[in-house]
Amino acid sequence: MAVTLRTLQQRKQDGAKFSVLTAYDACFSRLISEAGVDVMLVGDSLGMVLQGHDSTLPVTTEQLAYHTAAVARGNQGSLIMADMPFMSGATLERALTAAHALMQAGANLVKLEGAGWLADTITVLKRNGIPVCAHLGLTPQSVNAFGGYRVQGREKSDAERLIEDAKHLQQAGADVLLLECVPRAVTAELVKAVQVPVIGIGAGPECDGQVLVMHDMLGITPGKAARFVRNFAADGGDIRGAFAAYDAAVKDGSFPAAEHCF
């Protein structure tokens, strides 16, 4: 049975975890979805892991639509979420244009980076039949404004603002929230404060779902791995086994562990 937004909402109500992995092509899409992973994210991370850029900023809507279509052709029942690229949320017109292209390419919902100011855009997207995941915390498209890839919400005022933004965006119509690089204690408060599913990456096991970049969890990304990454291919299994192990570890609560949290 295909995974839908209602599936994720039911998982949250039942206290059951769900898994998310990035995917960029039909071959890996098939393997990931066959392994039981619930959601595939066509991430703008492709700018780094596929194109070799040092950030996600150069990725375009056209490129994301191309990869979303490829992932859709290989999909065996997972929910497909596609990233909205850098500056696509700057105006309502840009947001509608980008989301239109991604949904027509095969996405089931789009992911938009930002904060509370996204509320009006999310409301308009929802009005036009486009489900939205709001990405909060460390938003990689704002890496230059942040001065690097830094944990967000450490200060009390920042944590309170993050939680208020989450509640505001839920009220505006966000179907899912994604938290990146947020202290575990802050995540626990935020998850309790909202009713929509919350996906985490470096945000602790309190989240309803977990996401990793496929290349990271396979241990093939050059350089030092981020704290929140676990190499699921390290045990010597094949790629299919790594995907299945990741899905199982998220759902049984063994990933992320304490060493993956802030």
Side-chain angles (χ1 to χ4, degrees):
M1 184 179 295
V3 177
T4 68
L5 279 174
R6 293 189 66 178
T7 307
L8 304 188
Q9 293 159 355
Q10 189 63 51
R11 297 275 178 87
K12 182 179 181 71
Q13 292 176 18
D14 296 342
K17 305 294 185 181
F18 61 88
S19 57
V20 188
L21 268 179
T22 63
Y24 313 98
D25 64 32
C27 181
F28 279 109
S29 168
R30 177 175 290 275
L31 294 181
I32 291 169
S33 55
E34 287 179 344
V37 173
D38 299 290
V39 182
M40 292 188 290
L41 168 61
V42 186
D44 59 2
S45 49
L46 68 87
M48 302 172 80
V49 299
L50 297 188
Q51 297 175 343
H53 297 297
D54 60 2
S55 77
T56 63
L57 272 60
V59 179
T60 67
T61 298
E62 291 75 18
Q63 291 167 347
L64 283 162
Y66 172 90
H67 287 279
T68 298
V71 167
R73 286 190 285 270
N75 184 28
Q76 301 299 302
S78 298
L79 187 73
I80 298 176
M81 178 163 59
D83 264 337
M84 300 266 282
F86 178 60
M87 291 294 290
S88 59
T91 67
L92 285 176
E93 183 178 2
R94 285 188 181 186
L96 286 166
T97 298
H100 177 207
L102 295 172
M103 295 294 286
Q104 284 199 324
N108 302 118
L109 74 160
V110 299
K111 180 166 72 65
L112 193 57
E113 294 185 14
W117 54 267
L118 286 173
D120 289 345
T121 300
I122 289 172
T123 298
V124 173
L125 289 173
K126 279 296 296 270
R127 188 187 305 151
N128 284 275
I130 301 170
V132 179
C133 172
H135 183 156
L136 302 171
L138 171 59
T139 47
Q141 292 173 9
S142 299
V143 61
N144 292 307
F146 289 149
Y149 296 98
R150 304 163 65 90
V151 176
Q152 302 297 305
R154 288 195 188 276
E155 300 298 324
K156 183 179 179 181
S157 59
D158 294 335
E160 290 174 348
R161 188 181 307 111
L162 186 63
I163 293 169
E164 286 305 309
D165 282 346
K167 292 192 289 186
H168 187 43
L169 295 180
Q170 173 186 257
Q171 186 176 15
D175 298 278
V176 182
L177 300 174
L178 189 148
L179 296 182
E180 181 167 356
C181 291
V182 172
R184 183 175 179 180
V186 178
T187 297
E189 289 187 48
L190 190 150
V191 171
K192 291 179 182 177
V194 298
Q195 288 74 54
V196 297
V198 180
I199 300 168
I201 177 166
E206 286 75 15
C207 293
D208 306 296
Q210 299 292 330
V211 62
L212 283 178
V213 171
M214 179 189 75
H215 296 66
D216 290 346
M217 57 79 63
L218 291 176
I220 58 175
T221 304
K224 183 180 179 180
R227 177 173 180 167
F228 52 78
V229 171
R230 173 177 158 188
N231 181 352
F232 284 86
D235 295 334
D238 61 12
I239 290 174
R240 286 182 177 85
F243 292 154
Y246 169 74
D247 178 67
V250 169
K251 289 174 179 173
D252 68 21
S254 60
F255 177 81
E259 63 266 27
H260 304 117
C261 303
F262 298 100

